[in-house]
Amino acid sequence: MSGPAASSSSPTAHLMGVYGRAPLAFERGEGARLISTEGEAYLDCVAGIATNALGHAHPRLVEAVKAQSEKLWHVSNIFRIPEQEKLADRLTAESFADVVFFTNSGSEAIETALKLARKYHAAKGQPERIDIITFEGAFHGRTYAAVNAGGNAAYLDGFGPRLPGFIHLPFGDHEALKAAIGPTTAAILIEPVQGEGGARAVPDHCLRGLRDLCDQEGILLIYDEVQCGLGRTGKLFAYEWSGAAPDVMCLAKALGSGFPVGACLATNDAASGMIVGAHGSTFGGNPLAMAVGFAAVDEICKPETMDNVREVSAYLSQQLNGLRDRYPDVIVDVRGRGLLIGIKLIPNNREFMVMARDQKLLVAGGGDNCIRLLPPLTLTLAEAQEAISKIERTCDQVRQNAAKA
Ligand SMILES: *Cc1c(COP(=O)(O)O)cnc(C)c1O
């Protein structure tokens, strides 16, 4: 093949068509503000996609990237990586966990957790324990095992036979759960607050019930906190609200505050099968990602960050419930926890997102006809007020369109 690159009328002609992209691109960002290539400012209540927890171009993170990029980007895990040890020390000090495996994404953290769970039982002489129980509405990522764990048919159809060892149960059906556990069960995998499924929080007593059940049955409890972890709910980890710690936990999105890095955390016991050679990653845990991750976690852990999440989320929740009361023809439910907020709509959520964009507000979509607000944890009260008036204007617009139709 030779010759000039094919010209095409569409700027995305050479990208695999797996995304339904908005006709909008950005040039730069600052805090909760994104500036488009057309020079227009948007209020960003997507924050990457719950990744940029500290907003865009946070000075501490910019400094961390600059400083580490001038020293060392990547070395193999065949060597010690002090930046990795430092972040692992911090994450384990702040959580239930004893050990960490670093990845580049949430899906890889989930892969690690799934492998760890099967290996755990194999190492303890029960290799028949392979089944992972997950729940309807779950999202665990897009790799083979992760889509099989999630169980969303739209992500599985056409990709050949489903992988064995995944059991999907209805959300909140305790009897179905008890009935599903048996001698081949390895683990329960759950998001303490479902993200993509539409910001559904698992009640605290249910997480405590899961903890007891796993203890009784000798199976592992795995939390997917890729989206709800690291400050998003107003505590560093979402499970802290319930007091029910897991055996294994996956993190990613906010861990690098926009820089790609994920992690699988575990107790020493849960990780007992993960011996030399059992697992690995080329890029996972590289010094550049670790330096940014450490700076992000250190900032997220600050009491003022967590206080801000609680204050701003309380305000948003109160205001959004007010909008639901005033616009019952638009908003049916407001849910979620902290700054992982789901707004279940009557009009189509994708159309609502386009209309919000016209108001210069960026929100995320979600399952169950929800839109999600996933702003930076640093969103100010003034910015939250601005978001509310933009949502209110969008609701007005929905009404006007309905009147015209
Ligand atoms: C985003 C997400 C994942 C997958 O993370 P990737 O980095 O896209 O692989 C897994 N679980 C949850 C809950 C997520 O929100």
Side-chain angles (χ1 to χ4, degrees), residues 110 114 131-140 145-152 156 165-173 176-177 180 185 187-191 194 210 222 224:
I110 292 289
L114 297 173
D131 291 335
I132 312 286
I133 293 175
T134 64
F135 300 91
E136 169 251 318
F139 180 74
H140 299 299
V147 287
N148 277 274
N152 182 340
L156 284 161
F166 293 97
I167 297 173
H168 307 110
L169 299 180
F171 190 84
D173 185 339
L177 177 60
T185 311
I188 294 173
L189 168 61
I190 189 166
E191 295 158 85
Q194 279 192 350
L210 284 179
I222 307 171
D224 180 347

Side-chain angles (χ1 to χ4, degrees), residues 259-274:
F259 197 91
V261 48
C264 178
L265 284 65
T267 62
N268 277 328
D269 181 48
S272 55
M274 300 302 264

